[in-house]
Amino acid sequence: GQQVMQIPQYQHVQEGEDFTTYCNSSTTLSNIQWYKQRPGGHPVFLIQLVKSGEVKKQKRLTFQFGEAKKNSSLHITATQTTDVGTYFCASDMDSNYQLIWGAGTKLIIKP
Amino acid sequence: EAGVVQSPRYKIIEKKQPVAFWCNPISGHNTLYWYRQNLGQGPELLIRYENEEAVDDSQLPKDRFSAERLKGVDSTLKIQPAELGDSAVYLCASSLGLVGAFFGQGTRLTVV
């Protein structure tokens, strides 16, 4: 079936280091959404990208949608303890309104 | 604005017993989703409603799971009978169209 592959599964960083998670698909995506889920919490919608090559920023977070609309990335600059959680990408692939979710990347701040 | 409200927050039941979850979506949101999330995994869609119509229930185990969305607002998800493998967090989400689903806090179900 249709899949969105997300890597890495985990990323351990020192506070202040950068973090990046990637989502890839073998087929063209109509859009990509990003969510954050804190430990013990529920997914919280961050942003949606729809245009080829689109780049959006939210403070220290930068979201990119590839030119071919087959990949996307979320980059966090200078991580803080408040960034801890799992970041998910999701897409309705070919606009059939069925959101397909990546497996998530867990951001862990080293003590 | 109130967010998506789910109840109960936690539920522990014995296997073979029935259980029901309730969701009140954000006012005006026509799309409602029920997801199941196992520990360390992403949400898995069970059913999606557009208003009162279930438009995608392909992942719903229909032998034991049922859902309804009366008057296109509140929704209930029922499991009867529950099995040990049903232990998970059940998340309700709503959206206006498909842009950005807003999630409730979920119901953590433990089947013993």
Side-chain angles (χ1 to χ4, degrees), chain A:
Chain A
Q2 295 175 322
Q3 286 187 318
V4 175
M5 306 302 296
Q6 188 171 359
I7 56 169
Q9 187 176 5
Y10 303 94
Q11 190 167 359
H12 295 75
V13 299
Q14 297 279 4
E15 188 173 3
E17 291 182 337
D18 293 354
F19 162 86
T20 306
T21 174
Y22 302 89
C23 280
N24 298 285
S25 170
S26 59
T27 58
T28 302
L29 303 172
S30 59
N31 59 57
I32 192 87
Q33 300 179 13
W34 285 95
Y35 293 80
K36 175 184 178 181
Q37 186 171 21
R38 293 178 186 273
H42 57 279
V44 175
F45 174 72
L46 295 176
I47 207 162
Q48 174 169 286
L49 306 175
V50 295
K51 298 177 182 177
S52 169
E54 189 170 11
V55 178
K56 288 188 177 179
K57 292 189 176 184
Q58 291 179 351
K59 297 183 181 178
R60 294 177 295 103
L61 277 61
T62 301
F63 304 86
Q64 293 189 327
F65 203 7
E67 293 288 343
K69 299 182 72 174
K70 290 185 177 181
N71 58 76
S72 181
S73 65
L74 158 58
H75 180 82
I76 303 178
T77 303
T79 55
Q80 300 175 358
T81 55
T82 53
D83 296 326
V84 164
T86 301
Y87 292 83
F88 292 97
C89 61
S91 175
D92 72 342
M93 304 299 281
D94 54 3
S95 297
N96 66 358
Y97 298 152
Q98 184 181 41
L99 264 186
I100 305 297
W101 290 70
T105 296
K106 191 171 185 178
L107 169 57
I108 300 165
I109 303 284
K110 297 176 186 177

Side-chain angles (χ1 to χ4, degrees), chain B residues 8 10-21 64-65 77-88 90 107-112:
Chain B
Y10 304 93
K11 189 74 176 179
I12 301 174
I13 61 169
E14 293 184 342
K15 62 182 180 182
K16 300 184 182 180
Q17 294 301 306
V19 65
F21 314 123
R64 297 184 299 107
F65 286 65
L77 177 68
K78 297 178 181 178
I79 308 175
Q80 182 170 11
E83 297 178 352
L84 294 176
D86 296 330
S87 295
Y90 290 82
T107 296
R108 184 177 296 277
L109 173 67
T110 303
V111 182
V112 298

